[in-house]
Every structure is written in structure tokens, then in C-alpha cells.
Amino acid sequence: MREDFLSGVGDELRDRTIGVVRAQWAALGAGATAPGLAAAVVDPEALVLASLGLVDHDRPLAGTLAWWAARGSGLMSVQRIRNLSARFPDTVRHRLKEFAASARSAGDHRWKGVAGGTSVETASPEGGDPRLEGAAGTLLRLRLGLGVGIKADLVGALVGAEGWWRVRELAASTGYTSRAVRRAAEELARGGWIAASPASPAEYRTDVKRWLPILGLGSPAPWRDWSRLFALVLAVDAWLRAEEWPDRDPGELEGQARRLVDAHRPAFKWSGVPVPSPTQGSGSDYSRAFCEASLLVTRWMEEGV
């Protein structure tokens, strides 16, 4: 593939994703500049992980992350961000320790295990408390009322999703284990919070109209699998920015692109973007098709934020 094409793909991937991230932070009151506010449910763990991966390209995100560590870390699930971080590049997992150290320094000692021995300089971040109103803050309001944990997250996902969901689908989308999701979903169903189907395996859903007035919403707040979507973008970005690109054999590039497809197939499925088929060429042709498909995913994210 020509290097100008690769550069263009990488720039567009990052720019569109940074726009999505900014829109989500702006909706939470971070003061980030964005052309519009997010209308879908914000997944705070996925948003932090994405921001950690993009901070080198958008330096103001460093200030936003410091603000959130001080003001919003208490509304985050430490275990869940550990689980989701496995989907992201190594650099993100390393920087997560720094975020955790900032949250710990702000007084949230739940982050001690994630921070390990990492220490950071403490400073008073600018900005007030997070904004929890609107569709974007749906998950945060549920956590504030029900407690930070799997049950609030399952309700948030089901309120923003259509139709019936199986346990494995909920587990994949929320980042919890199937066993934990099954137990929580069964208890929520027994308590009348969500509905369970008589099918085997059981499927779950919730009456969205019932929840809208409780959550102060006029219409459903869409749920997106942001962790998988952001992880795909950052993985492709790391692949495109590798210094040895000019010297790679086209067959090697094809193999790497196919491995990325396999690793991030759920992101393509979620966005409705078809992955390049095995018959869609070989070598640089397949790699180019993969890059183009990844761009379509970021455009879908931009439209769905």
C-alpha cells in the first residue's frame, strides 16, 4: 500500500475517534470542545481507556483525565476497567496505572491495586463535578442510585438496547464474566427490574418505557459497545504507525490484517460493517480493504455518538 494512503487512514481514524471521545467528555461536563454532545450512553471505563490511548494525539485529554480521576473515578468500576483493558494495546494498560495513581491520590483507595507502585504529581484539576443529566449520563446515574457494579450496568445496557439479550451477549458487551452476568440477571429478573424469557438459554430485556421517566429521558438512550469499538481503532492505529512498514512483505501485512480482523470481529459486527472476506484479494489488497473497513467503523461511531 502507498504510504500516503496509510497516513491518510491513520489521520482520519484518530481524528474521528478523538471527535467521538471529545463529544462524550463534553456531555459529562469536562469542558472539552466538540461539535456536539453525545446522545448515546457513555461507558466511562471505555472512555477513559480510549482517552489514555489517544492522549499523545490530543494533549488536552491529559487535563480531562486528571479532572475525571479527581471528580469522577468514584463512579467507575475498578474491576470492570481491569477486564476491559485486556482488549486494548499495552500502552493503554501502562497508562491506566497512572490514571489509577491519580484517582488514589484524590482519595479513592479502590484504585490502589491497579496503580501498584506508580506515583504521580498531584494537582488540583480545573472543573466541577461531572454532569450526569441526559442520555450520556444514564449509566452514571444508575450507578449513583444503585451502586457501582454489575446490576446497574446490566440495566443500563438493556435500557439502551433493543430486543432480547443472552447472557453471553451481555457479558461480551459489558465486560463481566458470563457467570457473574447470569447470577446478576437472574436476581434482577426475580426482583422485577428486568424481564426473563422462558427460552433456554434464558434471554433478558427490560421495558424501556417504564425506565424513561425514572431516568428523566424523553427517548431511549442507545447503548454501544464502546470498549470494542475504541479498542479496534487503537489497535489499527498502532499497526499503521509501526516504523517498519516500508520493509514489510505484502504477505506479512495481509497476515497481520487478518489477525486484527479475528481479534476485533465483534466491533465490526456491532457497527454493521462487513469485514474483508478471504476472497477479497491478498497481500496489500486485503490490507487496504481492512483499513477501509476500519474507517467505516469510525464513521459509524461518529454518527452514533
Side-chain angles (χ1 to χ4, degrees):
M1 285 185 290
R2 290 177 56 185
E3 298 225 12
D4 55 350
F5 171 75
L6 296 178
S7 176
V9 169
D11 290 344
E12 185 173 349
L13 279 170
R14 288 189 296 273
D15 290 347
R16 290 183 181 274
T17 307
I18 287 171
V20 170
V21 166
R22 285 180 176 177
Q24 293 190 351
W25 281 124
L28 299 184
T33 57
L37 299 181
V41 178
V42 170
D43 180 335
E45 286 78 34
L47 179 57
V48 166
L49 292 168
S51 300
L52 291 171
L54 293 167
V55 69
D56 286 341
H57 307 291
D58 189 41
R59 294 308 302 172
L61 285 176
T64 300
L65 286 164
W67 166 76
W68 187 254
R71 305 292 188 188
S73 64
L75 290 172
M76 295 183 66
S77 168
V78 175
Q79 183 57 55
R80 183 168 183 261
I81 203 169
R82 281 181 184 267
N83 296 348
L84 295 181
S85 67
R87 300 174 177 176
F88 287 77
D90 291 342
T91 53
V92 173
R93 292 194 290 274
H94 176 74
R95 289 171 178 167
L96 177 58
K97 295 180 180 180
E98 298 176 354
F99 175 85
S102 296
R104 180 190 59 194
S105 297
D108 191 342
H109 297 291
R110 297 177 305 135
W111 293 89
K112 181 178 180 180
V114 180
T118 304
S119 60
V120 294
E121 295 183 7
T122 57
S124 298
E126 298 181 0
D129 292 334
R131 182 189 300 126
L132 306 182
E133 298 82 7
T138 296
L139 189 59
L140 297 175
R141 292 201 304 281
L142 284 167
R143 289 180 177 183
L144 193 63
L146 302 177
V148 176
I150 187 171
K151 290 183 178 178
D153 293 357
L154 289 183
V155 172
L158 289 172
V159 166
E162 297 180 358
W164 295 91
W165 284 59
R166 293 185 178 181
V167 166
R168 60 179 176 79
E169 294 170 332
L170 284 169
S173 186
T174 58
Y176 295 102
T177 66
S178 292
R179 177 180 295 182
V181 168
R182 181 176 294 104
R183 181 171 62 251
E186 289 173 350
E187 292 175 355
L188 285 169
R190 286 178 59 192
W193 292 72
I194 63 177
S197 73
S200 181
E203 297 177 323
Y204 298 92
R205 61 165 294 177
T206 189
D207 184 351
V208 178
K209 292 182 179 180
R210 175 184 171 189
W211 281 97
L212 291 181
I214 297 174
L215 295 171
L217 298 175
S219 58
W223 173 265
R224 312 280 190 233
D225 195 343
W226 288 117
S227 67
R228 293 192 184 277
L229 294 164
F230 288 143
L232 166 66
V233 171
L234 293 178
V236 176
D237 179 53
W239 180 59
L240 290 175
R241 288 191 295 111
E243 295 179 357
E244 67 273 17
W245 254 99
D247 300 325
R248 290 194 220 175
D249 178 78
E252 179 187 357
L253 293 176
E254 178 190 350
Q256 292 170 343
R258 291 183 186 277
R259 285 191 289 275
L260 284 170
V261 166
D262 290 339
H264 298 278
R265 196 174 294 273
F268 288 100
K269 181 179 180 181
W270 186 269
S271 61
V273 175
V275 298
S277 67
T279 60
Q280 199 166 340
S282 60
S284 58
D285 290 338
Y286 185 90
S287 301
R288 186 185 185 99
F290 167 67
C291 290
E292 292 172 343
S294 299
L295 280 178
L296 291 177
V297 173
T298 61
R299 292 169 187 169
W300 180 87
M301 289 165 53
E302 195 174 46
E303 294 170 358
V305 70

